[in-house]
Amino acid sequence: SVRRKLNRMSNSSHDHKLLALMDMKGFDPKEVTVTVKDGKVKVSAEHKEEHTSAGGKEYNYRNMTREISLPPGVREDEVTYSL
């Protein structure tokens, strides 16, 4: 189950605490931006595709933005992330 997977990931990080886990399926890591500023972690992603077919051009566009407040006592320079 997803909850058990989250618990295993949280437990495997030892003394680090897991603030968030996000599904970024459909986004290439190069399309994802993570910033830490003003006590918040902001995750943004943008994906664009263009396909040309006999009927013309087709465009697919997807974006996502999520902001998470840091818990009290957590310094911005302590935040780490991985994709």
Side-chain angles (χ1 to χ4, degrees), residues 7-31:
N7 286 340
R8 278 198 307 272
M9 290 180 71
S10 179
N11 291 338
S12 69
S13 64
H14 304 293
D15 60 338
H16 297 92
K17 296 194 179 180
L18 181 63
L19 179 62
L21 180 64
M22 295 179 211
D23 182 2
M24 301 306 290
K25 185 177 181 181
F27 294 101
D28 187 275
K30 291 180 269 183
E31 300 171 325

Side-chain angles (χ1 to χ4, degrees), residues 24-66:
M24 301 306 290
K25 185 177 181 181
F27 294 101
D28 187 275
K30 291 180 269 183
E31 300 171 325
V32 179
T33 303
V34 179
T35 56
V36 182
K37 184 178 177 183
D38 300 327
K40 295 183 180 182
V41 176
K42 181 178 180 180
V43 180
S44 304
E46 182 176 55
H47 179 79
K48 298 177 186 177
E49 287 180 36
E50 180 181 317
H51 301 283
T52 304
S53 65
K57 289 188 177 184
E58 295 179 17
Y59 300 92
N60 291 318
Y61 177 78
R62 226 175 12 257
N63 74 346
M64 185 278 307
T65 300
R66 184 169 176 198

